[in-house]
Amino acid sequence: MMRKDDFDYAIENTQVILAPEQQIATFGTTSFHFYLISELMDRVDQVRIRNGKIHAERPQILTPEHFSHLLLEGFGDKAQRYADQLREYARNIAVLRYGFQFRKTNVTEETIRDSVDAVVTRTKRRVEDAEEPLSAVIQGVDDAWEVCLLKFTIDMIERSAGGNFGDLRKHGLI
Amino acid sequence: MAQTIGARDGDADHTVGTIDLRNRVTAFRFARSERYLTLSLK
């Protein structure tokens, strides 16, 4: 089982080398292709590349009340104060839910004997040359690679939220 | 876990929100995961 330290280490040591040019679409599903590069834990100069797809659902608008309920369900007492504040300021708050789907079975991987820097550089160049606007190159931690993908989704939300918010406002939805 | 992020609306900078990571067991295995972003409308 993964410990909190392992989780934190993976988050801190994940770097999105090349982010997709496209962001999470406001009004539809977006499928990102990732190349996740990591050094093997116990071998020198052996690098693994996993590639697969991660699907971002259309961002959903939640009412603050519904979000408060979800918070309490997931986090219990610690979330109580935050949930109360949300209710208090409900009129001034919009909540977006971002959902991601990922199938482990669709991930393929290869192991290469080279330095991680060389593999990162080569993969980045390959993706750039191929003009893949939905592809990402990520450098992460081998045995916690799913956490690295989690970090990637957070980055994608950060990059997309402003555009999504603007789109929704333009359509009068929030 | 919570992380504060900023978001910008293109023509107005009135959004700063908090993002909450909500990872249940199934989510952590990544069958499906969700994040919530709260945005101030002021």
Side-chain angles (χ1 to χ4, degrees), chain A residues 34-73:
Chain A
F34 64 83
Y35 298 85
L36 176 54
I37 299 166
S38 54
E39 283 183 295
L40 268 60
M41 307 298 283
D42 52 358
R43 305 217 177 109
V44 178
D45 274 351
Q46 291 206 34
V47 177
R48 195 175 342 250
I49 306 178
R50 293 179 173 91
N51 79 77
K53 286 199 164 183
I54 191 159
H55 306 283
E57 299 166 3
R58 168 185 178 165
Q60 300 284 315
I61 303 165
L62 300 188
T63 65
E65 289 78 13
H66 182 50
F67 181 53
S68 299
H69 286 303
L70 288 173
L71 267 180
L72 295 174
E73 180 191 313

Side-chain angles (χ1 to χ4, degrees), chain A residues 64-65 86-94, chain B residues 41-42:
Chain A
E65 289 78 13
L86 275 177
R87 286 200 194 96
E88 191 177 336
Y89 297 107
R91 284 182 192 171
N92 301 323
I93 289 172
Chain B
L41 298 178
K42 274 191 171 177

Side-chain angles (χ1 to χ4, degrees), chain A residues 7 57 62 67 70 73 75 92-100 102 150 153 157-158 161-162 165-166, chain B residues 1 3 5 8-9 15 20-22 24 28-42:
Chain A
F7 185 92
E57 299 166 3
L62 300 188
F67 181 53
L70 288 173
E73 180 191 313
F75 293 97
N92 301 323
I93 289 172
V95 183
L96 294 184
R97 177 175 65 202
Y98 287 88
F100 295 89
F102 166 73
L150 191 67
T153 63
I157 293 173
E158 289 179 351
F165 184 67
Chain B
M1 183 191 312
Q3 176 182 347
I5 73 169
R8 197 166 282 243
D9 177 19
T15 62
D20 288 286
L21 304 183
R22 183 181 177 79
R24 301 178 188 181
F28 191 67
R29 287 177 189 156
F30 246 79
R32 187 170 184 284
S33 65
E34 293 177 353
R35 319 271 176 279
Y36 295 87
L37 177 66
T38 57
L39 302 159
S40 167
L41 298 178
K42 274 191 171 177

